[in-house]
Amino acid sequence: MTQRLAVIATGVIGNGWIARALARGWDVVAFDPALDAEARTRAAVANAWPALERLGTTAGASPERLHFVDRLDAAVAGADLIQENVPERLPLKREILATLDAVAAPETLIGSSTSGFKPSDLQRDCRQAPGRVIVAHPFNPVYLLPLVELVGGAATTPEQMGSAQSLYRSLAMRPLVVKREIEGHIADRLMEALWREALHLVNDGVATTEEVDAAMVYGCGLRWSLMGTFLTFHLAGGDAGMRHMLEQFGPALKLPWTRLEAPELSEALIDKVVEGCEHQAAGRPVAELEQRRDAFLVELLALVRQYWPEAEGLEERI
């Protein structure tokens, strides 16, 4: 039986959800009041489709299974899953989610792509079935990266979270259930810490944006893409593993190396970052850079599966 995804708001993340669902053979109904939304979405899907075909699509997958509608109630009618992607403004998200909760069938799960807000805050104005409104936070590009952080709120039941895991697995995603509500969830909190340090390095003239990126690409990023943070440091302890690593290098954590708080986003810093990124892009349009990134990620995902096959069942073990 064909499943249907309703996508509310079609920016970069919304379009990523659309491309992923289409590649898995789902029907997709999208709602976005912007006049050029449909044209932008179809162009984004076309740009993503070659990478999706290399990764492997499901029988029956087709961009033609995407339809746009001009009303929220029409978008969610008959949906198996609703994905909300409006801008990161809590009052706006609560308003849209309350409307979706009112017009959607009470058993239909509503996932919010929010990168920062807690689900209990998102559920607050929902009256029909607030527990089915959860955080379902993906990572860009959504159509290739499999992680989705699932966070339930105060009203969410274990059964609803179980249903969410099944739905996102059917989209070929790797659901990670976050045990406690926290702003920023897990991955974004880690990325924000790194982002703040990177801004300080650029702001203080220690490195350019290109040099910071090179440190990631040719250094820790290569290790992290396979083993993550903790297992990488476990290996750093030699045969004795993590315990020896902490005994030897743990005291360095007290040294004032990290700045943690973000630097002031001054015009001078903005100019440094923008100019650095434009230099790195070397005049190439974003669509071209996206295709290069996607080709790399398809091959990298294959390598991760080859060298770390046991990670495929991670969500069942935690």
Side-chain angles (χ1 to χ4, degrees), residues 157-238:
T157 66
E159 291 75 21
Q160 287 167 323
M161 288 303 289
S163 175
Q165 287 178 273
S166 297
L167 281 166
Y168 287 103
R169 283 195 194 106
S170 68
L171 285 168
M173 301 202 81
R174 294 277 304 279
L176 175 61
V177 176
V178 180
K179 297 178 178 64
R180 282 182 49 197
E181 291 186 73
I182 186 172
E183 294 88 347
H185 324 313
I186 297 174
D188 266 14
R189 294 179 73 92
L190 297 172
M191 290 190 294
E192 283 294 327
L194 181 62
W195 176 232
R196 287 192 289 270
E197 292 300 310
L199 288 176
H200 275 296
L201 291 170
V202 173
N203 191 53
D204 296 345
V206 175
T208 65
T209 60
E210 190 169 18
E211 289 164 346
V212 170
D213 285 351
M216 290 295 301
V217 170
Y218 299 110
C220 51
L222 288 172
R223 300 179 303 185
W224 287 347
S225 65
L226 178 66
M227 293 186 175
T229 305
F230 283 100
L231 198 56
T232 292
F233 280 134
H234 178 67
L235 270 62

Side-chain angles (χ1 to χ4, degrees), residues 103-305:
V103 299
E107 68 276 8
T108 304
L109 188 84
I110 302 174
S112 173
S113 295
T114 179
S115 60
F117 298 129
K118 295 192 291 187
S120 291
D121 293 332
L122 300 175
Q123 296 173 350
R124 193 166 299 166
D125 297 331
C126 299
R127 298 290 176 261
Q128 180 178 204
R132 47 79 175 267
V133 176
I134 67 167
V135 167
H137 174 233
F139 296 84
N140 186 43
V142 182
Y143 51 88
L144 292 182
L145 297 185
L147 181 65
V148 58
E149 294 177 315
L150 301 182
V151 196
T156 304
T157 66
E159 291 75 21
Q160 287 167 323
M161 288 303 289
S163 175
Q165 287 178 273
S166 297
L167 281 166
Y168 287 103
R169 283 195 194 106
S170 68
L171 285 168
M173 301 202 81
R174 294 277 304 279
L176 175 61
V177 176
V178 180
K179 297 178 178 64
R180 282 182 49 197
E181 291 186 73
I182 186 172
E183 294 88 347
H185 324 313
I186 297 174
D188 266 14
R189 294 179 73 92
L190 297 172
M191 290 190 294
E192 283 294 327
L194 181 62
W195 176 232
R196 287 192 289 270
E197 292 300 310
L199 288 176
H200 275 296
L201 291 170
V202 173
N203 191 53
D204 296 345
V206 175
T208 65
T209 60
E210 190 169 18
E211 289 164 346
V212 170
D213 285 351
M216 290 295 301
V217 170
Y218 299 110
C220 51
L222 288 172
R223 300 179 303 185
W224 287 347
S225 65
L226 178 66
M227 293 186 175
T229 305
F230 283 100
L231 198 56
T232 292
F233 280 134
H234 178 67
L235 270 62
D239 290 341
M242 178 60 83
R243 185 169 298 280
H244 177 65
M245 197 286 297
L246 290 174
E247 290 171 351
Q248 184 171 0
F249 299 108
L253 295 174
K254 295 293 186 180
L255 296 176
W257 287 355
T258 178
R259 294 184 179 273
L260 286 182
E261 289 190 11
E264 179 187 352
L265 202 57
S266 64
E267 288 300 321
L269 177 55
I270 291 172
D271 288 344
K272 280 186 179 180
V273 172
V274 171
E275 289 166 9
C277 290
E278 289 176 350
H279 172 73
Q280 289 176 257
R284 292 173 294 229
V286 168
E288 180 183 333
L289 294 172
E290 287 176 337
Q291 288 181 344
R292 176 184 292 193
R293 174 203 65 193
D294 292 354
F296 171 78
L297 287 174
V298 168
E299 295 186 34
L300 185 61
L301 286 166
L303 282 172
V304 171
R305 284 193 293 268

